[in-house]
Amino acid sequence: MAVASLRFLARRRHHLRLAGVPGTRARAAFLSDAAEDLPRAGPPPPPPPPGRKVLESFREEFEIGGRLIAFETGKVARFANGSVVISMEDTNVLATVAAAKSSDPVRDFLPLTVDYQEKQFAQGVIPTTYMRREGAPKERELLCGRIIDRPIRPLFPRGFYHDVQITVNVLSSDGKQDPDVMAANASSAALMLSDVPWNGPIGVIRVGRIDGNFVLNPTVDELGLSDLNLVYACSRDKTLMIDVQAREITERDLQAGMKLAHSEAVKCIDPQIRLAKRAGKEKKEYKLSMISDESYEKIRTLSEAPIEEVFTDKTYGKFERGEALQNITESVKAKLEEECDEESLKFLPKAVDTVRKQVIRNRIIKEGLRVDGRQLDQVRPLFCESSTYPILHGSALFSRGDTQVLCTVTLGAPGDAQRLDSIVGPPTKRFMLHYSFPPFSINEVAKRGGLNRREVGHGTLAEKALLAVLPPEDDFPYTVRINSEVMASDGSTSMASVCGGSMALMDAGIPVREHVAGVSVGLVSESDPATGDISNYRILTDILGLEDHLGDMDFKIAGTRRGITAIQLDIKPAGIPLDIVCESLEPARKARNQILDRMDQEISSARAINDGSGPRLATLSFSSDSLRKLLFHRKKIEKDTGARVSVSDGTVTIVAKTQPIMDKALEKVEFLVGREIEVGRTYKGIVSSIKEYGAFVEFNGGQQGLLHISELSHEPVSKVSDIVSVGQVLSLTCIGQDVRGNIKLSLKATLPHRHKKELASQDTAPLANQDLVGWAAVENMASKDSDVEQSSSKDEDSTTEETPAFSTPAVIIRSAADCDAQDVADAPTKKQSKAASSKAAKSSPRVYKAAKERQEAKPASPKKASSTSTAKKSKKGKADDSGSNGLDAIPEQDIVNTLKCLSSTNFRSGSMKLGDVVTVKVYQIRAYGLVLELSDGVRGMHKFVENGRKDFEVGEEVLAKCSSFNAKGVPVFSLLD
């Protein structure tokens, strides 16, 4: 029964304050807590049996904003100087403290290190890295470490220079709560439990605002709806740290939020004090590195007057002033070395810095004079320049005093967004501001390393300030990256990055609503050494780097004319009253508006995004099958076009540097992948096969469409192969679907329509202005005899079945181009036909001037019997005719007829019959043959034969034999040698 009771107590750990371990205080606490859960009657449970260990743990619970928060110590990390696990719902964070036993005797600063870690096991995920391990600290981990460091550092006693390391690990996360605020509170509790001297504890809280109502410790989802993200840290009566991201919140609303945050954050303090009383260690006596009063007075006497002389001279610049102060330090050092005062030499740099600090602070508080001679609320001279480098997507140069920042903007596809491997928050980030602080900006020599806490912190602050004015992702789907390169630094480069970044965004064509500007406000105060209460103070606007170093506060405030978008407060003393912090908002607002006026003079609205070198972006939607095709062809598309293709959530985004590249990429995507077919839209396709009734075209990512013979041209076409060939690329218009479900395409819909009058005038126009391939129109060939039977043909607008080949074409030949089709049809083999067609397509036709139109003559009509006999020729006979132009020999009777024709000047074509030999003139020369003209103006045709004569001239008279007639009665001649 006793063992069962102990098991029950172990499960109820949130009710168990202490577990039984030898020791009077521990045993008493264990008995009192056990009495709460066990029945009143009966003896207390016996100690655990041998071999079983019960860990001593202490727990304190409290509630903020309706959420239960608990501090627990003693269960894990028992060897650490101090360790606390803080829990809120299913999120648990461990904070530990370790301190070195001794310090470096020549050190004059606190080597405090805060390492915040978010390992993927906390959310039940294996890292996706190659080694399946977490790598270097991510940006978010560095930022969370800064959130912990900034409010804790000022509370260490002066002269404590021992190494202190605070390590924070997220043990489990439900994804609802951001662990950063919990980590700061746990670190404060761990310091309270340790033996490290520290003037805590502190309370940290997050405040949001949804629909005008403040929310305490909002969840990650609630922060997405909030227009305020305020992280506030304080002691019981003073402010220690403020970090704000907002959507143009007014100063008045921000003050209300900070006052609410202070009243709620102090609720975290008492549980830490109670926990430290129950389980904390006694503070150890550490040796503080403090200079003696005698040594300080000696150094002050030697250096104060020269330092005052330097600071009263307004002609000194940053480096000239620094060099003069360094010379003063060297002169004091020489005097101390002469006196062999080792104790004073040991603390010389720190003591001289303290003297400088006191001189400057006295001048500001008592006389209202600043280092550079400005008024307390005066902003340094401004310089603004946009489009500094036009080839970039966006660029701007901003200077305030000696501080100078170059900001550039680069636009990319949504797929270029930064991937965030955080255990909370969104998986990607489409807006990035990367801040760089090179050593040359302060005229120093240093080695460039990886991610720097300062650079990450300053860049994130400027990023949060500008994020509030960016257009929604639906309206502007680009990924945006700002690079802020500090060219010269003399205070507040992060706020200069806000101003330069805002101008660069407008220069890049990003439709931001208005400019964002930032300014840093400082504080110089006098306080009571005993109580720490501030008795006198001055607020400084737009502080220098030296004023930041020697002052009490660096209050960075960024925003628009409507309100504040970002804040970061860092302090050096052990807290500042909240009233002074709120008072600093008004001079910051006035300075911000002054800077905004100057920025508007340079650029006040976004440029057109397609101007200059701005990229082009297109967003497309595809089906699942099409997406698979796109992923397969993406590398090829990017290689062939130079554009970048990204796929995200079923949406395809194409980014190109110029519009021609974009057009080429869209064309490539549509050709390889395809889009939803739209009637009336023009597509590019490749002819895959040719039939007598039309051609099949592959287009739109592998789809097949039918190009009917009737849709090839505005003029009648006798043969499909006259117009198109296999492998030819065409621009076609979708005109619908036929009854069989085939997609109907049209080539003539993409061509301009020419009327009959235009065709008639074209025949008389100079041929030099025409690019003709094939035969020109053959006119005046109508039959004289109205009773002549014509060969039957099928309707051109309907899909026909394949029919046997005949010597007389099944489609009426109305133009010279039709003769080319007849030539291809009469070719001996398909291979020769394809070769001839390819050769014709690649070669450029010879162009001649057309002769004047002649008067119309009566058309000739072939004899039916002759036409019928020609159609019944055998295959062997056809081959022979093809090889000899249809004339193996000229019979004697034909020679007689020829002589009659030659001697007759009044020859009429209406009486022409097969076998007649006449003298004709070359009217036109085409790629595949000749247009011949009879003496009465009637024209006929002759096709070139292989190895036959082709060197003719217009107007040349030749001897020809009528070998056949087409369906309209146009004579087809073969030439006689």
Side-chain angles (χ1 to χ4, degrees):
M1 180 65 183
V3 174
S5 298
L6 287 174
R7 291 177 179 173
F8 175 75
L9 287 175
R11 295 193 192 101
R12 297 288 302 276
R13 66 178 185 274
H14 62 282
H15 293 297
L16 185 61
R17 301 285 193 261
L18 296 171
V21 172
T24 304
R25 189 179 70 174
R27 186 177 300 277
F30 174 77
L31 293 176
S32 62
D33 287 337
E36 296 178 3
D37 292 328
L38 291 178
R40 296 289 181 180
R52 175 172 298 178
K53 182 177 182 178
V54 177
L55 297 177
E56 179 185 19
S57 63
F58 302 84
R59 185 181 181 89
E60 288 290 339
E61 296 179 349
F62 60 101
E63 186 176 328
I64 295 180
R67 291 185 171 88
L68 184 66
I69 305 173
F71 291 116
E72 186 177 13
T73 186
K75 182 175 289 187
V76 295
R78 297 167 63 87
F79 280 177
N81 203 324
S83 67
V84 170
V85 174
I86 186 172
S87 60
M88 183 188 301
E89 296 180 354
D90 290 328
T91 300
N92 294 270
V93 180
L94 168 66
T96 61
V97 174
K101 301 300 184 291
S102 60
S103 65
D104 191 340
V106 297
R107 184 179 292 160
D108 61 351
F109 65 94
L110 172 64
L112 172 64
T113 304
V114 179
D115 293 325
Y116 174 89
Q117 293 179 320
E118 289 182 347
K119 295 191 175 180
Q120 295 298 311
F121 72 80
Q123 59 176 344
V125 173
I126 296 176
T128 58
T129 59
Y130 177 76
M131 297 297 294
R132 297 298 187 268
R133 298 173 64 94
E134 287 77 11
K138 298 181 287 291
E139 287 188 10
R140 171 177 163 77
E141 293 175 324
L142 297 179
L143 294 172
C144 291
R146 283 171 55 87
I147 290 287
I148 301 169
D149 183 293
R150 284 156 52 196
I152 287 175
R153 185 179 292 271
L155 298 181
F156 284 93
R158 293 177 57 189
F160 179 76
Y161 299 144
H162 292 255
D163 286 282
V164 178
Q165 184 178 30
I166 298 176
T167 304
V168 182
N169 291 277
V170 180
L171 302 181
S172 66
S173 174
D174 56 7
K176 298 178 182 179
Q177 300 293 330
D178 195 325
D180 55 354
V181 170
M182 299 173 60
N185 284 311
S187 300
S188 173
L191 283 169
M192 289 295 293
L193 292 173
S194 69
D195 61 7
V196 177
W198 187 64
N199 300 319
I202 67 171
V204 187
I205 193 173
R206 172 176 274 110
V207 176
R209 191 178 70 164
I210 302 175
D211 297 331
N213 300 318
F214 291 110
V215 181
L216 300 175
N217 286 332
T219 64
V220 175
D221 293 337
E222 289 173 338
L223 278 177
L225 305 174
S226 174
D227 61 355
L228 173 66
N229 184 0
L230 165 64
V231 178
Y232 184 87
C234 64
S235 61
R236 195 176 294 276
D237 56 352
K238 292 182 180 179
T239 301
L240 290 166
M241 187 271 296
I242 298 175
D243 194 278
V244 174
Q245 178 180 359
R247 299 175 187 172
E248 298 174 294
I249 188 173
T250 63
E251 283 78 3
R252 182 177 179 181
D253 292 342
L254 180 62
Q255 291 181 32
M258 290 191 296
K259 291 178 180 179
L260 174 63
H262 189 97
S263 63
E264 294 293 330
V266 294
K267 295 180 181 179
C268 301
I269 295 177
D270 289 336
Q272 298 179 48
I273 295 175
R274 294 195 302 265
L275 189 66
K277 287 181 179 179
R278 297 173 60 191
K281 301 176 181 178
E282 292 185 7
K283 296 301 180 181
K284 186 178 179 181
E285 293 294 334
Y286 285 91
K287 183 179 179 181
L288 302 180
S289 299
M290 301 290 290
I291 185 173
S292 64
D293 294 339
E294 181 181 352
S295 297
Y296 175 74
E297 286 299 325
K298 180 186 292 187
I299 295 174
R300 186 183 65 81
T301 303
L302 294 173
S303 61
E304 186 175 25
I307 290 175
E308 285 183 351
E309 184 180 351
V310 171
F311 286 134
T312 54
D313 191 347
K314 301 179 182 178
T315 61
Y316 278 116
K318 175 180 179 178
F319 295 105
E320 292 81 5
R321 187 185 302 113
E323 185 177 354
L325 293 174
Q326 183 62 31
N327 292 335
I328 294 172
T329 303
E330 293 296 329
S331 65
V332 174
K333 181 180 179 181
K335 293 180 180 179
L336 294 177
E337 288 177 345
E338 291 178 0
E339 299 176 4
C340 298
D341 191 347
E342 297 294 336
E343 180 69 19
S344 298
L345 286 172
K346 179 180 176 182
F347 295 98
L348 176 63
K350 189 70 174 179
V352 171
D353 185 69
T354 304
V355 174
R356 289 188 301 176
K357 181 177 181 179
Q358 196 62 38
V359 169
I360 293 177
R361 294 168 70 90
N362 289 335
R363 282 174 50 83
I364 292 174
I365 291 177
K366 295 179 181 179
E367 303 176 22
L369 298 177
R370 301 176 65 172
V371 175
D372 56 355
R374 285 183 293 145
Q375 299 297 321
L376 298 181
D377 60 349
Q378 185 178 354
V379 179
R380 289 173 287 175
L382 303 173
F383 172 84
C384 300
E385 180 184 76
S386 62
S387 193
T388 305
Y389 300 101
I391 195 173
L392 304 178
H393 296 169
S395 60
L397 189 65
F398 180 84
S399 295
R400 181 170 53 224
D402 290 333
T403 296
Q404 185 182 66
V405 172
L406 172 66
C407 291
T408 61
V409 172
T410 306
L411 303 179
D416 295 327
Q418 181 182 358
R419 298 178 182 177
L420 304 176
D421 294 330
S422 173
I423 61 177
V424 293
T428 59
K429 183 172 67 173
R430 74 180 185 100
F431 176 64
M432 301 160 282
L433 193 149
H434 295 158
Y435 170 96
S436 179
F437 191 89
F440 66 79
S441 64
I442 53 175
N443 195 26
E444 287 185 356
V445 177
K447 183 179 180 181
R448 298 289 291 170
L451 284 179
N452 180 279
R453 286 178 182 264
R454 182 180 184 275
E455 291 184 339
V456 172
H458 281 43
T460 303
L461 174 62
E463 179 183 298
K464 291 190 294 186
L466 295 172
L467 188 61
V469 297
L470 282 182
E473 187 172 358
D474 295 338
D475 299 336
F476 193 82
Y478 291 88
T479 294
V480 182
R481 183 197 184 204
I482 297 179
N483 272 84
S484 176
E485 302 289 331
V486 178
M487 297 295 158
S489 173
D490 191 15
S492 195
T493 53
S494 60
M495 295 296 95
S497 299
V498 174
C499 302
S502 180
M503 292 194 300
L505 288 174
M506 284 193 177
D507 184 60
I510 300 175
V512 295
R513 296 194 308 273
E514 56 181 316
H515 274 309
V516 182
V519 67
S520 186
V521 177
L523 176 71
V524 174
S525 63
E526 287 183 344
S527 59
D528 187 348
T531 62
D533 296 335
I534 294 177
S535 59
N536 194 8
Y537 65 91
R538 296 277 186 155
I539 297 175
L540 311 179
T541 302
D542 185 22
I543 58 176
L544 296 171
L546 184 61
E547 293 170 336
D548 180 14
H549 173 66
L550 302 178
D552 296 332
M553 177 179 74
D554 183 10
F555 195 14
K556 302 181 179 70
I557 307 171
T560 66
R561 288 187 173 87
R562 297 182 182 182
I564 295 171
T565 58
I567 283 179
Q568 179 176 296
L569 171 64
D570 294 323
I571 64 172
K572 295 178 179 64
I576 295 175
L578 182 58
D579 294 339
I580 297 179
V581 175
C582 294
E583 184 183 345
S584 304
L585 296 175
E586 182 58 25
R589 185 189 64 82
K590 293 180 180 179
R592 185 170 73 246
N593 289 338
Q594 179 182 344
I595 298 170
L596 289 171
D597 292 338
R598 178 64 185 88
M599 294 167 62
D600 283 334
Q601 293 175 6
E602 175 62 23
I603 180 171
S604 58
S605 60
R607 308 184 195 276
I609 195 168
N610 289 334
D611 288 354
S613 59
R616 275 63 173 172
L617 184 143
T619 303
L620 310 173
S621 297
F622 290 95
S623 63
S624 299
D625 294 338
S626 298
L627 280 176
R628 283 192 288 270
K629 291 182 182 178
L630 180 66
L631 292 173
F632 180 78
H633 294 290
R634 178 168 59 180
K635 295 297 182 182
K636 176 178 176 58
I637 295 172
E638 292 179 342
K639 180 180 179 181
D640 293 347
T641 64
R644 298 187 64 182
V645 181
S646 63
V647 180
S648 176
D649 297 332
T651 302
V652 177
T653 305
I654 303 175
V655 178
K657 289 185 177 180
T658 61
Q659 190 60 43
I661 294 178
M662 174 60 72
D663 295 338
K664 187 177 180 181
L666 290 174
E667 179 182 327
K668 199 79 173 178
V669 169
E670 290 190 356
F671 182 77
L672 294 176
V673 180
R675 299 293 308 279
E676 184 178 352
I677 301 298
E678 299 178 10
V679 176
R681 187 172 178 177
T682 302
Y683 301 88
K684 280 199 173 183
I686 296 180
V687 178
S688 58
S689 62
I690 294 178
K691 306 295 182 182
E692 289 188 3
Y693 51 84
F696 284 98
V697 179
E698 184 176 342
F699 75 110
N700 199 44
Q703 299 190 53
Q704 289 282 343
L706 175 62
L707 175 61
H708 193 263
I709 189 173
S710 62
E711 297 295 335
L712 288 171
S713 174
H714 292 292
E715 300 302 318
V717 176
S718 63
K719 202 165 187 180
V720 179
S721 57
D722 291 345
I723 306 299
V724 297
S725 60
V726 175
Q728 184 177 355
V729 179
L730 302 173
S731 292
L732 306 169
T733 301
C734 176
I735 58 176
Q737 286 185 324
D738 59 16
V739 295
R740 300 180 181 178
N742 295 322
I743 299 173
K744 296 170 63 176
L745 303 174
S746 175
L747 178 61
K748 70 180 182 182
T750 63
L751 304 175
H753 184 72
R754 298 189 298 177
H755 300 283
K756 293 182 178 179
K757 293 182 179 180
E758 296 176 356
L759 294 173
S761 62
Q762 181 183 355
D763 194 41
T764 61
L767 293 179
N769 296 329
Q770 303 177 18
D771 187 13
L772 300 176
V773 179
W775 293 85
V778 180
E779 301 174 347
N780 303 327
M781 291 299 182
S783 175
K784 179 180 178 181
D785 189 354
S786 59
D787 297 333
V788 174
E789 296 182 8
Q790 299 182 1
S791 60
S792 60
S793 64
K794 296 189 178 181
D795 188 1
E796 295 174 347
D797 293 334
S798 61
T799 303
T800 61
E801 299 178 357
E802 295 186 7
T803 57
F806 293 96
S807 60
T808 303
V811 181
I812 299 174
I813 300 177
R814 297 190 180 123
S815 65
D818 300 334
C819 298
D820 298 338
Q822 182 67 30
D823 296 342
V824 175
D826 293 340
T829 63
K830 185 183 294 184
K831 183 175 181 181
Q832 292 177 356
S833 172
K834 184 174 180 180
S837 176
S838 176
K839 182 178 180 181
K842 294 180 180 178
S843 61
S844 300
R846 296 174 61 189
V847 181
Y848 297 91
K849 290 187 177 180
K852 294 183 179 180
E853 287 191 3
R854 302 178 183 273
Q855 60 181 1
E856 290 188 1
K858 296 181 180 179
S861 59
K863 293 184 179 181
K864 184 176 180 180
S866 302
S867 177
T868 303
S869 62
T870 304
K872 294 182 179 180
K873 285 185 178 181
S874 63
K875 293 182 180 180
K876 182 177 180 181
K878 287 184 180 180
D880 295 338
D881 291 344
S882 176
S884 61
N885 295 334
L887 294 175
D888 292 336
I890 301 177
E892 184 178 352
Q893 184 61 34
D894 291 344
I895 296 176
V896 176
N897 293 337
T898 299
L899 294 176
K900 290 180 180 180
C901 292
L902 291 173
S903 62
S904 174
T905 59
N906 296 322
F907 173 78
R908 307 297 296 175
S909 59
S911 60
M912 181 177 292
K913 61 182 181 296
L914 289 176
D916 286 346
V917 179
V918 293
T919 301
V920 293
K921 287 186 178 180
V922 177
Y923 178 69
Q924 288 180 354
I925 302 174
R926 296 294 179 226
Y928 297 110
L930 304 175
V931 177
L932 304 175
E933 187 177 55
L934 300 174
S935 60
D936 58 356
V938 177
R939 296 167 191 166
M941 301 178 288
H942 165 71
K943 75 163 187 175
F944 292 143
V945 295
E946 190 175 358
N947 300 325
R949 179 190 173 191
K950 297 182 181 179
D951 53 339
F952 295 94
E953 295 182 1
V954 176
E956 179 183 353
E957 292 186 348
V958 295
L959 194 63
K961 175 184 177 181
C962 179
S963 58
S964 64
F965 294 90
N966 70 357
K968 290 290 291 182
V970 177
V972 179
F973 294 102
S974 56
L975 301 184
L976 303 178
D977 295 335

